[in-house]
Amino acid sequence: MNYKTRMRRGRRTDALRLLARGVTLTTDDLILPLFAVEGARKTESIDAMPGVFRMSADRLAEKCETLKCPGVMLFGVPPADTKDSTGSYALREDGVVPEAVRAIKKSRPDLAVITDLCLCGYTAHGHCGVLAESGEVDNDATIDLLGKSALVHAAAGADMVAPSAMMDHQVEAVRAALDGGGFSRIGIMSYAAKFASAFYGPFRDVADSSPEFGSRAGYQLPPENREEAVRDALLDEAEGADWLMVKPSLPYLDVLSELTAQTRLPVAAYQVSGEYSMIKSAAENGQIDETDAFFETLTAMKRAGAAAMITYWAEEAAEVLSRL
Ligand code: PBG
């Protein structure tokens, strides 16, 4: 037949496919989440997330020495007996996060160190802020604490802080605190569109941050509502965020795509713990090829508009990509 259009012409050889390729993943697209614990020479494995470890500052610094992606996202896992009603450990200058930031910056000053800014890992009740008498999270008291915690991270040398509590005006409060403390050069990556998701399950085991009662649906986004998510994210831009983020990643690619169309800020996609564990388990059962699967998911995020991907595969993916 004399069909004019034949899509397969462009797919015939590797070279032709490469020339017409859409997005290409690079090591520069990746941010690795890291979990910091107290002590020295500690590497703790986590049942819920094979291949992910909680590490003391010295071990984190060692890991970062050979890391081939440009950024890390740091989470603090304080000792269980330090947790209290206000998450006061989050303000300690010798806490796990500031210590880890200093150690990593010493071994890799060139690495972008972004710190997660939330109270859920530090409060005894496991909610993302301090509680009002009603039992709900007190928004304005919480953002005040997030601002103070941001100052501790910035003073330790963090390049960006990433408020993840989903409190109203948290970006504004953190920006004001940083500017007031002489850290106007330190950026804010806002967890702008963070959904109330089942996919955070394994992370809550890692970070020991499950809410003791209720859920986070009173502050995280409802999965059903794209308009609300985009609106909330754009408010963070207006409050001075330097980056926005959509989280989880694959179930919310439509939100990512819509948001990147609505903003000129870079938008990160966070491939969360449940997304990681799902593929990992399928791979361990021999049902799926792990490397092919994670590359495909990361490609999907970049295609949907992500400027960077936060993924537990960042180290491995960057290793493979740097050898291509
Ligand atoms: C803290 C926070 C969470 C995650 C990142 N920051 C957990 C939560 O909201 O319960 C989840 C990350 C992941 O699942 O990989 N608020």
Side-chain angles (χ1 to χ4, degrees), residues 264-308:
R264 297 277 82 90
L265 294 185
V267 182
Y270 195 142
Q271 182 171 47
V272 302
S273 56
E275 300 182 81
Y276 172 86
S277 296
M278 225 170 20
I279 292 178
K280 201 82 181 169
S281 301
E284 281 175 0
N285 285 333
Q287 295 154 330
I288 203 170
D289 182 90
E290 183 179 347
T291 309
D292 287 349
F294 76 65
F295 272 121
E296 188 173 332
T297 59
L298 294 171
T299 303
M301 292 167 219
K302 190 161 179 182
R303 191 189 63 235

Short mmCIF file of all heavy atoms in Angstrom, two decimals, residues 264-308:
data_model
loop_
_atom_site.label_atom_id
_atom_site.label_comp_id
_atom_site.label_asym_id
_atom_site.label_seq_id
_atom_site.Cartn_x
_atom_site.Cartn_y
_atom_site.Cartn_z
N ARG A 264 6.36 29.01 35.98
CA ARG A 264 7.70 29.02 35.36
C ARG A 264 8.73 28.52 36.37
O ARG A 264 9.92 28.45 36.06
CB ARG A 264 8.08 30.43 34.87
CG ARG A 264 7.18 30.96 33.77
CD ARG A 264 7.56 30.46 32.37
NE ARG A 264 7.06 29.14 32.08
CZ ARG A 264 5.87 28.86 31.52
NH1 ARG A 264 5.06 29.82 31.18
NH2 ARG A 264 5.51 27.64 31.27
N LEU A 265 8.32 28.20 37.59
CA LEU A 265 9.27 27.66 38.56
C LEU A 265 9.60 26.21 38.18
O LEU A 265 8.75 25.51 37.62
CB LEU A 265 8.67 27.64 39.97
CG LEU A 265 8.37 28.97 40.65
CD1 LEU A 265 7.90 28.70 42.09
CD2 LEU A 265 9.58 29.87 40.68
N PRO A 266 10.80 25.74 38.52
CA PRO A 266 11.07 24.31 38.34
C PRO A 266 10.18 23.50 39.28
O PRO A 266 9.93 23.91 40.41
CB PRO A 266 12.55 24.17 38.71
CG PRO A 266 12.91 25.40 39.48
CD PRO A 266 11.94 26.48 39.10
N VAL A 267 9.73 22.36 38.78
CA VAL A 267 8.85 21.48 39.58
C VAL A 267 9.54 20.12 39.72
O VAL A 267 9.94 19.51 38.73
CB VAL A 267 7.48 21.30 38.92
CG1 VAL A 267 6.57 20.43 39.80
CG2 VAL A 267 6.81 22.66 38.67
N ALA A 268 9.67 19.67 40.95
CA ALA A 268 10.25 18.35 41.21
C ALA A 268 9.14 17.32 41.39
O ALA A 268 8.04 17.66 41.82
CB ALA A 268 11.11 18.39 42.47
N ALA A 269 9.43 16.09 41.03
CA ALA A 269 8.51 14.98 41.29
C ALA A 269 9.15 14.09 42.35
O ALA A 269 10.33 13.76 42.24
CB ALA A 269 8.26 14.18 40.01
N TYR A 270 8.38 13.73 43.36
CA TYR A 270 8.91 12.86 44.41
C TYR A 270 8.32 11.46 44.25
O TYR A 270 7.14 11.24 44.47
CB TYR A 270 8.55 13.43 45.78
CG TYR A 270 9.33 12.83 46.95
CD1 TYR A 270 9.75 13.61 48.01
CD2 TYR A 270 9.65 11.47 47.00
CE1 TYR A 270 10.44 13.07 49.08
CE2 TYR A 270 10.34 10.93 48.05
CZ TYR A 270 10.74 11.74 49.10
OH TYR A 270 11.43 11.19 50.16
N GLN A 271 9.20 10.55 43.84
CA GLN A 271 8.80 9.14 43.74
C GLN A 271 8.92 8.55 45.15
O GLN A 271 10.02 8.27 45.62
CB GLN A 271 9.75 8.42 42.77
CG GLN A 271 9.40 6.96 42.57
CD GLN A 271 10.22 6.36 41.44
OE1 GLN A 271 11.44 6.54 41.37
NE2 GLN A 271 9.58 5.65 40.54
N VAL A 272 7.79 8.40 45.82
CA VAL A 272 7.82 8.14 47.27
C VAL A 272 8.05 6.66 47.59
O VAL A 272 8.08 5.79 46.71
CB VAL A 272 6.55 8.66 47.96
CG1 VAL A 272 6.38 10.15 47.74
CG2 VAL A 272 5.32 7.87 47.51
N SER A 273 8.18 6.44 48.90
CA SER A 273 8.58 5.12 49.40
C SER A 273 7.70 3.98 48.88
O SER A 273 8.21 2.93 48.49
CB SER A 273 8.55 5.14 50.93
OG SER A 273 7.28 5.55 51.41
N GLY A 274 6.38 4.17 48.87
CA GLY A 274 5.49 3.10 48.41
C GLY A 274 5.68 2.79 46.94
O GLY A 274 5.56 1.63 46.51
N GLU A 275 6.00 3.82 46.16
CA GLU A 275 6.25 3.60 44.74
C GLU A 275 7.53 2.79 44.55
O GLU A 275 7.64 1.96 43.66
CB GLU A 275 6.37 4.96 44.02
CG GLU A 275 5.13 5.83 44.12
CD GLU A 275 5.29 7.14 43.36
OE1 GLU A 275 5.11 7.13 42.13
OE2 GLU A 275 5.64 8.15 43.98
N TYR A 276 8.49 3.08 45.42
CA TYR A 276 9.76 2.35 45.40
C TYR A 276 9.54 0.89 45.81
O TYR A 276 9.93 -0.04 45.09
CB TYR A 276 10.74 3.03 46.36
CG TYR A 276 12.04 2.30 46.60
CD1 TYR A 276 13.12 2.45 45.75
CD2 TYR A 276 12.19 1.46 47.72
CE1 TYR A 276 14.33 1.81 46.00
CE2 TYR A 276 13.38 0.81 47.97
CZ TYR A 276 14.45 0.99 47.11
OH TYR A 276 15.63 0.33 47.35
N SER A 277 8.87 0.71 46.95
CA SER A 277 8.72 -0.65 47.48
C SER A 277 7.88 -1.53 46.56
O SER A 277 8.11 -2.74 46.46
CB SER A 277 8.07 -0.60 48.87
OG SER A 277 8.93 0.08 49.76
N MET A 278 6.94 -0.93 45.87
CA MET A 278 6.09 -1.69 44.95
C MET A 278 6.92 -2.33 43.84
O MET A 278 6.81 -3.53 43.58
CB MET A 278 5.08 -0.72 44.33
CG MET A 278 3.69 -1.24 44.30
SD MET A 278 2.43 -0.03 43.85
CE MET A 278 3.22 1.28 43.02
N ILE A 279 7.75 -1.52 43.20
CA ILE A 279 8.58 -2.04 42.11
C ILE A 279 9.62 -3.01 42.66
O ILE A 279 9.90 -4.06 42.09
CB ILE A 279 9.25 -0.88 41.34
CG1 ILE A 279 8.18 -0.07 40.59
CG2 ILE A 279 10.31 -1.41 40.37
CD1 ILE A 279 8.71 1.13 39.83
N LYS A 280 10.19 -2.64 43.81
CA LYS A 280 11.20 -3.48 44.44
C LYS A 280 10.63 -4.89 44.73
O LYS A 280 11.28 -5.90 44.44
CB LYS A 280 11.63 -2.81 45.74
CG LYS A 280 12.94 -3.23 46.27
CD LYS A 280 14.07 -2.51 45.59
CE LYS A 280 15.40 -2.98 46.13
NZ LYS A 280 16.51 -2.48 45.31
N SER A 281 9.43 -4.93 45.28
CA SER A 281 8.83 -6.23 45.61
C SER A 281 8.55 -7.03 44.35
O SER A 281 8.83 -8.24 44.30
CB SER A 281 7.51 -6.05 46.35
OG SER A 281 7.70 -5.33 47.51
N ALA A 282 8.01 -6.36 43.35
CA ALA A 282 7.72 -7.08 42.10
C ALA A 282 9.01 -7.61 41.50
O ALA A 282 9.05 -8.73 40.97
CB ALA A 282 7.02 -6.15 41.11
N ALA A 283 10.09 -6.84 41.60
CA ALA A 283 11.38 -7.28 41.06
C ALA A 283 11.91 -8.47 41.87
O ALA A 283 12.41 -9.45 41.30
CB ALA A 283 12.38 -6.14 41.08
N GLU A 284 11.76 -8.40 43.19
CA GLU A 284 12.26 -9.49 44.02
C GLU A 284 11.47 -10.78 43.78
O GLU A 284 11.97 -11.87 43.96
CB GLU A 284 12.23 -9.08 45.50
CG GLU A 284 13.42 -8.20 45.82
CD GLU A 284 13.42 -7.65 47.24
OE1 GLU A 284 12.48 -7.95 48.00
OE2 GLU A 284 14.38 -6.92 47.56
N ASN A 285 10.21 -10.63 43.35
CA ASN A 285 9.39 -11.80 43.01
C ASN A 285 9.64 -12.26 41.58
O ASN A 285 8.96 -13.18 41.11
CB ASN A 285 7.90 -11.47 43.15
CG ASN A 285 7.48 -11.43 44.61
OD1 ASN A 285 8.08 -12.09 45.45
ND2 ASN A 285 6.46 -10.65 44.89
N GLY A 286 10.55 -11.60 40.88
CA GLY A 286 10.85 -11.99 39.50
C GLY A 286 9.78 -11.59 38.51
O GLY A 286 9.72 -12.11 37.39
N GLN A 287 8.92 -10.64 38.88
CA GLN A 287 7.82 -10.26 37.98
C GLN A 287 8.15 -9.09 37.08
O GLN A 287 7.42 -8.79 36.13
CB GLN A 287 6.57 -9.91 38.82
CG GLN A 287 6.02 -11.10 39.58
CD GLN A 287 5.25 -10.69 40.82
OE1 GLN A 287 5.53 -9.66 41.43
NE2 GLN A 287 4.30 -11.50 41.21
N ILE A 288 9.22 -8.39 37.37
CA ILE A 288 9.49 -7.15 36.65
C ILE A 288 11.00 -6.90 36.70
O ILE A 288 11.66 -7.34 37.65
CB ILE A 288 8.69 -6.01 37.35
CG1 ILE A 288 8.42 -4.84 36.42
CG2 ILE A 288 9.35 -5.54 38.60
CD1 ILE A 288 7.45 -3.85 37.03
N ASP A 289 11.56 -6.25 35.69
CA ASP A 289 12.98 -5.90 35.74
C ASP A 289 13.12 -4.56 36.46
O ASP A 289 12.60 -3.55 35.98
CB ASP A 289 13.58 -5.83 34.34
CG ASP A 289 15.07 -5.51 34.39
OD1 ASP A 289 15.87 -6.46 34.45
OD2 ASP A 289 15.43 -4.30 34.43
N GLU A 290 13.82 -4.57 37.59
CA GLU A 290 13.86 -3.38 38.44
C GLU A 290 14.44 -2.17 37.71
O GLU A 290 13.85 -1.09 37.72
CB GLU A 290 14.68 -3.68 39.70
CG GLU A 290 14.71 -2.51 40.66
CD GLU A 290 15.50 -2.80 41.93
OE1 GLU A 290 15.83 -3.98 42.19
OE2 GLU A 290 15.79 -1.84 42.67
N THR A 291 15.58 -2.34 37.07
CA THR A 291 16.25 -1.19 36.43
C THR A 291 15.40 -0.64 35.29
O THR A 291 15.19 0.58 35.20
CB THR A 291 17.64 -1.61 35.92
OG1 THR A 291 18.32 -2.24 37.00
CG2 THR A 291 18.44 -0.41 35.47
N ASP A 292 14.91 -1.51 34.44
CA ASP A 292 14.04 -1.05 33.34
C ASP A 292 12.83 -0.32 33.90
O ASP A 292 12.41 0.72 33.39
CB ASP A 292 13.55 -2.23 32.49
CG ASP A 292 14.66 -2.80 31.63
OD1 ASP A 292 15.73 -2.16 31.55
OD2 ASP A 292 14.46 -3.89 31.04
N ALA A 293 12.25 -0.88 34.96
CA ALA A 293 11.02 -0.29 35.53
C ALA A 293 11.29 1.08 36.11
O ALA A 293 10.54 2.02 35.87
CB ALA A 293 10.43 -1.23 36.57
N PHE A 294 12.38 1.23 36.89
CA PHE A 294 12.56 2.56 37.49
C PHE A 294 12.97 3.59 36.45
O PHE A 294 12.54 4.75 36.52
CB PHE A 294 13.41 2.54 38.76
CG PHE A 294 14.91 2.39 38.63
CD1 PHE A 294 15.68 3.35 38.02
CD2 PHE A 294 15.54 1.29 39.20
CE1 PHE A 294 17.07 3.22 37.96
CE2 PHE A 294 16.92 1.15 39.15
CZ PHE A 294 17.69 2.12 38.52
N PHE A 295 13.73 3.17 35.44
CA PHE A 295 14.06 4.14 34.38
C PHE A 295 12.80 4.60 33.63
O PHE A 295 12.66 5.76 33.29
CB PHE A 295 15.09 3.57 33.40
CG PHE A 295 16.51 3.83 33.84
CD1 PHE A 295 17.39 2.77 34.07
CD2 PHE A 295 16.96 5.11 34.05
CE1 PHE A 295 18.69 3.01 34.50
CE2 PHE A 295 18.26 5.37 34.48
CZ PHE A 295 19.13 4.31 34.71
N GLU A 296 11.90 3.65 33.41
CA GLU A 296 10.66 4.02 32.71
C GLU A 296 9.83 5.00 33.55
O GLU A 296 9.29 5.99 33.02
CB GLU A 296 9.86 2.75 32.42
CG GLU A 296 8.66 2.99 31.53
CD GLU A 296 7.99 1.67 31.12
OE1 GLU A 296 8.68 0.64 31.03
OE2 GLU A 296 6.78 1.70 30.89
N THR A 297 9.75 4.77 34.86
CA THR A 297 8.96 5.69 35.69
C THR A 297 9.62 7.07 35.74
O THR A 297 8.93 8.09 35.67
CB THR A 297 8.80 5.15 37.14
OG1 THR A 297 10.08 4.97 37.74
CG2 THR A 297 8.04 3.84 37.16
N LEU A 298 10.94 7.11 35.84
CA LEU A 298 11.62 8.41 35.90
C LEU A 298 11.47 9.16 34.58
O LEU A 298 11.28 10.39 34.56
CB LEU A 298 13.10 8.22 36.25
CG LEU A 298 13.36 7.67 37.66
CD1 LEU A 298 14.83 7.31 37.85
CD2 LEU A 298 12.93 8.68 38.74
N THR A 299 11.52 8.42 33.48
CA THR A 299 11.31 9.03 32.17
C THR A 299 9.91 9.63 32.08
O THR A 299 9.72 10.73 31.55
CB THR A 299 11.51 7.98 31.06
OG1 THR A 299 12.82 7.43 31.20
CG2 THR A 299 11.37 8.60 29.68
N ALA A 300 8.93 8.91 32.63
CA ALA A 300 7.55 9.40 32.59
C ALA A 300 7.42 10.72 33.34
O ALA A 300 6.74 11.64 32.90
CB ALA A 300 6.61 8.35 33.20
N MET A 301 8.12 10.82 34.47
CA MET A 301 8.05 12.07 35.25
C MET A 301 8.68 13.22 34.50
O MET A 301 8.16 14.33 34.45
CB MET A 301 8.78 11.88 36.59
CG MET A 301 8.07 10.93 37.52
SD MET A 301 9.16 10.47 38.88
CE MET A 301 8.72 8.75 39.02
N LYS A 302 9.82 12.94 33.86
CA LYS A 302 10.49 14.00 33.11
C LYS A 302 9.62 14.42 31.93
O LYS A 302 9.46 15.61 31.64
CB LYS A 302 11.87 13.53 32.65
CG LYS A 302 12.70 14.65 32.07
CD LYS A 302 14.16 14.34 32.03
CE LYS A 302 14.93 15.50 31.41
NZ LYS A 302 16.36 15.25 31.29
N ARG A 303 9.02 13.45 31.26
CA ARG A 303 8.14 13.74 30.13
C ARG A 303 6.94 14.59 30.55
O ARG A 303 6.50 15.49 29.84
CB ARG A 303 7.67 12.41 29.50
CG ARG A 303 6.97 12.56 28.16
CD ARG A 303 6.35 11.24 27.75
NE ARG A 303 5.33 10.83 28.69
CZ ARG A 303 5.29 9.67 29.34
NH1 ARG A 303 6.21 8.74 29.13
NH2 ARG A 303 4.32 9.41 30.20
N ALA A 304 6.45 14.32 31.77
CA ALA A 304 5.30 15.08 32.28
C ALA A 304 5.68 16.49 32.70
O ALA A 304 4.82 17.31 33.00
CB ALA A 304 4.66 14.34 33.44
N GLY A 305 7.00 16.79 32.72
CA GLY A 305 7.43 18.16 32.99
C GLY A 305 8.35 18.36 34.17
O GLY A 305 8.76 19.48 34.47
N ALA A 306 8.70 17.28 34.88
CA ALA A 306 9.54 17.43 36.07
C ALA A 306 10.93 17.96 35.70
O ALA A 306 11.54 17.50 34.74
CB ALA A 306 9.68 16.10 36.80
N ALA A 307 11.40 18.94 36.48
CA ALA A 307 12.76 19.45 36.29
C ALA A 307 13.76 18.54 37.01
O ALA A 307 14.93 18.48 36.65
CB ALA A 307 12.87 20.87 36.84
N ALA A 308 13.30 17.85 38.03
CA ALA A 308 14.15 16.91 38.76
C ALA A 308 13.26 15.88 39.44
O ALA A 308 12.09 16.14 39.69
CB ALA A 308 14.99 17.64 39.81
#
